[in-house]
Amino acid sequence: MANPQKFLVTSALPYANGPLHLGHVAGAYLPADIFVRYLRQQGDDVIFICGSDEHGAAITIKAKKENSTPQAVVDEFHELNKQTFQKFGIEFDLYDRTSSEHHHKTAQDFFLNLYEKGVFEKEESAQFFDEEHQQFLADRYVMGTCPKCSHDKAYGDQCEKCGSSLSPSELINPISTLSGKPPVMKETYHWYLPMQKHEAWLRDWIENGKLEGVQQHDPKKWKPQVLGQCKSWVDGGLQPRAMTRDLDWGVKVPLEGADGKVLYVWLDAPIGYISATKKLGEQKGFDGEALWKENDRKLVHFIGKDNIVFHCIIFPILLKLHGGYNLPDNVPANEFLNLEGDKLSTSRNWAVWLHEYLEDFPGKEDELRYVLTSILPEYRDSEFTWKDYQARVNNELVAILGNFVNRALVLTHKYFEGKVPAAGAQNKEIVEAIGVAYSEVDAGIRSYNFRQALTEAMKVARLGNKFLADTEPWKLIKSDETKTGEILNISLQIAAHLGNIIQPFLPNTAKKLLGFLGLDANAICRNAFEVLKAGETIEKPSLLFQKIEDEVVEKQIEKLNASKAVQNTVNFKENTSFDNFQLMDMKLATIKAAEKVKKADKLLQLKLDVGGVEKTVVSGIAQHYSPDEVIGKTVLYLSNLEPRKIRGVVSEGMILMAENAEGALSFMVPEKDFESGGEVR
RNA sequence: GGCGAGGUAGCUCAGUUGGUUAGAGCGUCGGAUUCAUAACCCGGAGGUCACGAGUUCAAAUCUCGUCCUCGCUACCA
């Protein structure tokens, strides 16, 4: 290639507290791998970096739960994920890890550099503290009853049952997961990054691609949802972010008197990209850090949409403050991949795990790559279903791609003893179509439109099938062997280009196909149609793809449903005393009036009649009941909760609701026609 | 409620700076064919481009409003 370009490509560091699922793959790894493979094929200079993100409270908690150590947890998943990537054919230059010494050193140096520049602000705040263990509690270390769904094992940052994100102070009856005792509030301090100071240049950089007047990237090439979300954050006003945390598992804050403090993930994880590059440089004999500073090397972060703010706002601020580093050229974040109609969820075990797929479908890595590539959530959420997987494999890989290759090779063996027959005159249309395919694939991949690029690549196989159908060599052989040979020659050349063009998407298949033809992938020039010389021997082909039978996908669907059934087990709370129960004052109440609370999606303000007494209650049921359908109902009412102001309205007690597995709510109404005010015991 | 992204054929999605009868793949129906894993190839049917108004000679494409989905956010005693 005349002008090779330089790239530094990263994929989001997977968190080492669990295995990889299809959502991860479709979000950040497969697109990056296709991108990198293609650019390398074109002769570009590409470094591809990834690794395990191994710090944070979730890992220490998992360790505690399993009676293990954080190091053991991350060792397990680092190893598993690293091997899974390898088996699946995601080829990083280095799959590093943030628990490594060199990363700690790099991250500390980075922090110190910024600290010495005075970019952080030290701030005090109150946080939960475990007196028995003499330790501040990260969000995940606090457990309590979820204020939203009453799940009694919600974490301080998130309730895993209802999925709502929380802050520790919201939890009812918080307890420390270390000691099992209620924590106390205690003052602590942290270093904050005052992001609001950087709004001006950040806006110019994101919206116009300009940094200090110099064009850095083309915002038109950024995805709408990425630009939109960034603008939304900047316009909404940036807030200071804590850059440190009270925790003993992580990169220690390299300052006097900062014992028990570690760098927060915003700093730790993205710097992992840098430390991995440095490490790679040490292994390969180049200056890894310098790659981040070459002004003609483009930095591209592949991530999921949940990571946009870190990669487009926080990390760029850090890089710029540090100085010398390139800011990303693009952050082609993907949306989410759903599974069989539901969101993927590690905690609810609703996922297809990549390592399990590789076990269940040995040798079918390319099938998954193909299906995932064709449904990548590039611009909107998309959905993986096993039925769709089966249909795409059978109708496209088997019927179009595999079939064409098989036809061309079988015919060659049948009529020409497996030797490439002599070429005739060039078929201009075919040559041109191949050229178009190359340039369309190139345009697609370089603009991060991988689905489209794959479609264009598949057109080559369709072209081959059509060419065979149009020329009918199986008929022509009876009358004109020379002409038949010329047709097969063209068909084989198409197959060769097909093998070349699908290589970034389906590397194993490409290798196999080119192997049939006795070709080396690097030997194919996109501008020269004639790849195979007359007389060369072609191997007897085996099938590139097998059909996926109904039973196979049915089994996978059953497997999923089984994991869902496990999730639906009923959780019983601990026993309580009758006295405790009697403290609750529950009554029947009739809803007399209802209206939506302004500026709140979930709230209805209800006027209740409770045996002649009027009460006002604000209830979070607006997404399940409209005001109209609620009036006149006699429902179950808990009257003696402390009154509380919600959205400016004082709520006296609460309406008790039943919830089903899908999270739908239902009133509890008396089975007989009882009047309001009736006691419930 | 605020912000962001979407709402195009049964399904998955394209539709560039507004410009002839709105496209592709899958599915469906019909035809042709047998080299090929009952595969391939050709053709038909199928769309009030979420809805309403506006700008324009001309709007899926621009503007405003409404509804719906997803994400972030507030709210859930």
Side-chain angles (χ1 to χ4, degrees), chain A residues 578 581-588 636-638 656 670 674 677-681:
Chain A
F578 185 67
F581 168 70
Q582 282 215 305
L583 296 175
M584 306 292 131
D585 183 20
M586 290 183 280
K587 291 182 161 46
L588 290 179
L636 184 51
Y637 167 59
L638 176 58
L656 302 184
F674 282 15
E679 288 283 334
V680 178
R681 285 181 292 181

Side-chain angles (χ1 to χ4, degrees), chain A residues 10 42 64 76-77 129 175 211 225 229 250 255 300 305 381 398 450 531 559 592 644:
Chain A
T10 73
Q42 295 310 303
K64 207 164 275 283
E76 178 191 346
F77 289 111
F129 183 80
I175 55 157
L211 187 61
Q225 70 266 30
Q229 215 181 106
L255 294 174
V300 182
K305 69 172 157 183
D381 291 356
V398 173
F450 301 104
V531 178
K559 187 172 169 181
K592 289 296 178 192
R644 182 174 150 148

